[in-house]
């Protein structure tokens, strides 16, 4: 049974850094066609912020996080990461990792591309 378990959320001050982890079990991260991170603010829909195709062949960042966030994979730990630098209060949200065994991602990919989801982790940025 495939499972994604997130960790690393918490509270941080603006300008600080945080690293989110998404540990996979039941499946090898290098075999997923695409893995990504989404976030959801209160009262708003869940939005994709970064995607990474198998072995890093394609990566995408939304303008809101480009240059500040980095998606990566540690194959030895079977884990996906999101490095968040220079965070702002606008980054406050619940963050979800997601993975697809069927589809490669592109700039237009959305939540419907992904069948596997983490449980979500809260990130709160104070000014």
């Amino acid at each position: 049974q495939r499972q994604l378990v997130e960790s690393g959320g918490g509270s941080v001050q603006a300008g600080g850094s945080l690293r989110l982890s998404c540990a996979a079990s039941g499946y090898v991260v290098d075999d997923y066609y695409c893995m990504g991170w989404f976030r959801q603010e209160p009262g708003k829909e869940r939005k994709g912020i970064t995607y990474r195709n198998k072995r890093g062949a394609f990566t995408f960042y939304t303008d809101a996080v480009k240059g500040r966030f980095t998606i990566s994979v540690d194959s030895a730990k079977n884990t996906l990461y999101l490095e968040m630098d220079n965070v702002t209060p606008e980054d406050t949200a619940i963050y979800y990792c997601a993975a697809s065994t069927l589809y490669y991602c592109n700039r237009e990919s959305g939540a419907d591309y992904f069948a596997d989801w983490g449980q979500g982790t809260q990130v709160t940025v104070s000014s």
Side-chain angles (χ1 to χ4, degrees):
Q1 181 178 353
R2 302 192 306 265
Q3 190 176 16
L4 301 175
V5 178
E6 300 171 29
S7 61
S11 298
V12 61
Q13 289 192 325
S17 297
L18 206 61
R19 188 176 76 162
L20 306 183
S21 300
C22 174
S25 61
Y27 207 77
V28 176
V29 291
D30 285 338
D31 289 339
Y32 277 116
Y33 279 41
C34 179
M35 300 189 79
W37 290 92
F38 287 70
R39 66 185 183 187
Q40 186 169 20
E41 301 169 55
K44 297 186 178 181
E45 67 178 21
R46 193 175 301 186
K47 292 184 177 180
I49 56 172
T50 179
Y51 308 132
R52 179 186 184 276
N53 280 344
K54 186 182 289 189
R55 305 192 188 284
F58 168 82
T59 56
F60 169 77
Y61 298 91
T62 62
D63 288 344
V65 306
K66 191 179 300 181
R68 300 188 300 119
F69 291 10
T70 304
I71 187 171
S72 64
V73 162
D74 185 329
S75 301
K77 296 184 178 180
N78 212 39
T79 299
L80 175 76
Y81 295 101
L82 181 67
E83 182 71 37
M84 306 167 61
D85 296 319
N86 194 24
V87 296
T88 72
E90 288 68 35
D91 295 320
T92 295
I94 299 174
Y95 284 72
Y96 299 88
C97 63
S100 175
T101 60
L102 296 176
Y103 305 112
Y104 287 108
C105 293
N106 56 54
R107 295 177 59 87
E108 308 300 324
S109 296
D112 56 346
Y113 273 58
F114 301 92
D116 297 354
W117 291 85
Q119 80 282 7
T121 186
Q122 176 70 47
V123 172
T124 303
V125 183
S126 58
S127 57

